[in-house]
Amino acid sequence: EPEVTQTPSHQVTQMGQEVILRCVPISNHLYFYWYRQILGQKVEFLVSFYNNEISEKSEIFDDQFSVERPDGSNFTLKIRSTKLEDSAMYFCASRARLASGANEQFFGPGTRLTVL
Amino acid sequence: EDQVTQSPEALRLQEGESSSLNCSYTVSGLRGLFWYRQDPGKGPEFLFTLYSAGEEKEKERLKATLTKKESFLHITAPKPEDSATYLCAVQLPPNAGGTSYGKLTFGQGTILTVHP
């Protein structure tokens, strides 16, 4: 069964360093998302991406964040200068198509980011 | 402000003891309500999508229902392997520009523990 994959599973970095989190969405999906979950808190939306551009972003997704789909399979989240408060689980998700109703999003296993 | 609230925060059951989890929402024009299961340290695993009041969906020991203000996840004769955090999420209607990109707003989850 197709699934979303993410690498690395755990990333440890120093405050101020840049990190890139990688995702391979399900192959025929068109909509891509990043969410994050700080330990003990809700899953929070960061950004959605469609047709090679950002379609929607939250107030969390400031100038320190960027997303890219560098080729036909990968989807990346870059944090330019990490802060302690960026420590969280980051989930990638993908969705098949836009329809008149909602469509389910399938999530990857997550990358645990620890900023020291 | 749109809000999704889940109750109870935690639920402990004996194996075979049926119960229900609640997700109440105060959003205007719901596009879809989603139930996910999340195991510790893992990504949310899709369970159900509900689109309109009165709709019901079932999968093994789980049954999800939807009204205009809330959704219930009924667990019949649970087993220890049903222990997980159950997340509810809503998809909002299109923005003022008329486009919806599928952003999900999550509740805080219900931690279910089923004892043998």
Side-chain angles (χ1 to χ4, degrees), chain A residues 31 33 35 37 42-43 45 48 50 55-56 89 91 95 98-110 112, chain B residues 3-4 31-32 34 36 38 41-44 46 49 51 87 91 95 99-108:
Chain A
Y31 295 83
Y33 308 85
Y35 293 82
Q37 186 176 31
K42 296 183 182 184
V43 176
F45 169 79
S48 60
Y50 169 69
S55 47
E56 190 173 6
M89 280 287 279
F91 296 109
R95 182 167 73 117
L98 185 66
S100 57
N103 296 101
E104 55 267 20
Q105 295 177 24
F106 293 92
F107 284 74
R112 178 169 298 284
Chain B
Q3 195 166 6
V4 182
R31 289 291 297 275
F34 301 80
Y36 286 87
Q38 187 176 30
K42 302 290 180 63
F46 172 75
T49 310
Y51 294 104
L87 304 175
Q91 183 181 349
N95 57 25
T99 305
S100 172
Y101 294 99
K103 163 190 170 182
L104 295 180
T105 300
F106 282 84
Q108 79 276 20

Side-chain angles (χ1 to χ4, degrees), chain B residues 3-83:
Chain B
Q3 195 166 6
V4 182
T5 304
Q6 293 187 245
S7 62
E9 289 186 10
L11 181 63
R12 302 169 74 91
L13 300 174
Q14 289 297 125
E15 185 171 2
E17 180 186 2
S18 301
S19 188
S20 296
L21 282 55
N22 178 264
C23 171
S24 64
Y25 57 93
T26 55
V27 301
S28 303
L30 182 75
R31 289 291 297 275
L33 186 141
F34 301 80
W35 282 99
Y36 286 87
R37 169 187 170 132
Q38 187 176 30
D39 292 302
K42 302 290 180 63
E45 175 190 345
F46 172 75
L47 294 174
F48 303 108
T49 310
L50 300 166
Y51 294 104
S52 55
E55 189 173 0
E56 298 183 352
K57 290 197 177 167
E58 286 189 67
K59 179 181 178 181
E60 296 180 354
R61 296 177 291 281
L62 300 177
K63 178 179 174 181
T65 62
L66 182 66
T67 72
K68 288 185 178 179
K69 294 183 179 180
E70 58 192 350
S71 176
F72 292 94
L73 184 65
H74 308 277
I75 302 177
T76 302
K79 299 181 177 182
E81 53 261 41
D82 295 321
S83 297

